[in-house]
Amino acid sequence: MSPLLYLQHCLSTNDEILFHPNFQSTDVIGMYTFHQTKGRGQYGNSWKTTEHQNVAFTIAVEETHFKNSGALINFYTAVILRDFIANLTKSEVKIKWPNDLIIKNKKVAGILIEKKARKYIIGIGINVLQKDFIDLPKAGSILTQTGKMVDLHLLARGLFQRFSYLFSLKIPEDIVSDYNKHLFRKDEISVFEIKGVRQNGIIQQTDSGGYLWINLEKDGVRKFFHKEIELLY
């Protein structure tokens, strides 16, 4: 059986991959669909997608592939996905901390990483051909942002091939630097919300612990973890 399975529909590829026939016996397996009905994003958020216009993709990787570098898998995944989409579209792609991909100020992809049964379950949602985002003003797709029509099957297969190869290698020592190089709105004045209060600030960097460092207008340089601060643009 192929290590990459296509499903006509499912609730969530991150959940469905646990029932893959080779889940326990194979180091790296993948699954994708164009019709996911209950996709999940970070922190319990939902990932809404239009049927047969976008890709929901999950790759499960044995934890031993990363040895003592598990804490950096988020950076590695984001950089691999960024490079893949940038190469595919020949466009500038940015990483919005912690796990979103941005083209021309619109979110086109998101990442959800979980750990189950000694495997990292890496879920990726990519908006590919969708044109209507009337209820999601900050979202876009590869088509809306670049004008490029992409075959959904070829995208999913290419993504699996790329991840399978790079996950077989050691995480680069400069991965945090690579992540910061493509960090969305780095060194630009932005508006943030902290506990309901808005404040201007400038993103400086992320660190290997996953923290985002921001020089705030009123509070000076502070670091934040996920959900402690929101970038409003």
Side-chain angles (χ1 to χ4, degrees):
M1 179 175 290
S2 169
L4 177 64
L5 289 184
Y6 166 68
L7 300 179
Q8 290 189 345
H9 60 83
C10 71
L11 297 178
S12 166
T13 53
N14 263 33
D15 293 336
E16 194 70 32
I17 203 166
L18 302 177
F19 302 101
H20 189 297
N22 295 331
F23 181 78
Q24 296 293 343
S25 60
T26 306
D27 285 353
V28 180
I29 57 171
M31 182 174 287
Y32 70 100
T33 186
F34 310 142
H35 186 193
Q36 180 175 255
T37 57
K38 288 189 177 181
R40 303 195 308 279
Q42 286 280 350
Y43 316 114
N45 296 327
S46 62
W47 177 274
K48 298 180 180 179
T49 184
T50 301
E51 183 179 350
H52 299 306
Q53 295 182 17
N54 308 313
V55 173
F57 171 94
T58 295
I59 184 168
V61 186
E62 185 72 31
E63 64 179 357
T64 54
H65 277 256
F66 304 106
K67 297 181 181 178
N68 298 323
S69 302
L72 298 176
I73 190 172
N74 174 67
F75 293 98
Y76 198 30
T77 301
V79 169
I80 293 172
L81 182 60
R82 191 224 74 88
D83 290 350
F84 179 85
I85 294 177
N87 183 65
L88 180 70
T89 62
K90 310 304 180 187
S91 301
E92 182 179 44
V93 182
K94 293 291 188 179
I95 303 171
K96 182 186 175 188
W97 177 84
N99 280 332
D100 292 339
L101 278 293
I102 306 291
I103 300 178
K104 297 177 181 176
N105 294 316
K106 298 289 186 179
K107 176 180 176 177
V108 301
I111 300 167
L112 174 65
I113 300 177
E114 303 172 298
K115 192 174 181 183
K116 297 178 181 177
R118 300 187 305 280
K119 282 185 169 63
Y120 285 100
I121 312 297
I122 300 166
I124 295 172
I126 306 176
N127 297 332
V128 184
L129 301 174
Q130 186 172 335
K131 295 180 180 179
D132 182 8
F133 293 94
I134 190 168
D135 296 324
L136 298 167
K138 292 184 179 181
S141 68
I142 287 176
L143 178 60
T144 63
Q145 301 311 103
T146 72
K148 188 174 181 64
M149 297 284 291
V150 178
D151 182 277
L152 300 181
H153 282 290
L154 291 180
L155 184 152
R157 292 167 187 161
L159 193 61
F160 180 74
Q161 184 179 41
R162 192 63 181 159
F163 270 107
S164 296
Y165 169 68
L166 291 176
F167 279 166
S168 69
L169 306 177
K170 183 178 179 180
I171 294 180
E173 293 182 1
D174 60 351
I175 193 63
V176 178
S177 175
D178 284 348
Y179 185 98
N180 281 311
K181 183 169 65 175
H182 301 291
L183 191 57
F184 182 58
R185 297 198 65 81
K186 183 176 181 290
D187 299 324
E188 300 178 32
I189 297 175
S190 303
V191 181
F192 301 90
E193 184 170 291
I194 309 167
K195 296 180 179 179
V197 178
R198 295 189 177 189
Q199 186 175 167
N200 290 342
I202 299 175
I203 293 174
Q204 294 188 326
Q205 65 175 357
T206 58
D207 62 27
S208 59
Y211 287 91
L212 181 69
W213 291 79
I214 303 173
N215 188 356
L216 294 167
E217 183 178 29
K218 297 178 181 178
D219 299 333
V221 178
R222 291 180 56 191
K223 67 176 183 177
F224 298 89
F225 205 60
H226 307 166
K227 295 301 272 187
E228 292 179 346
I229 191 167
E230 181 181 1
L231 171 62
L232 301 179
Y233 300 138

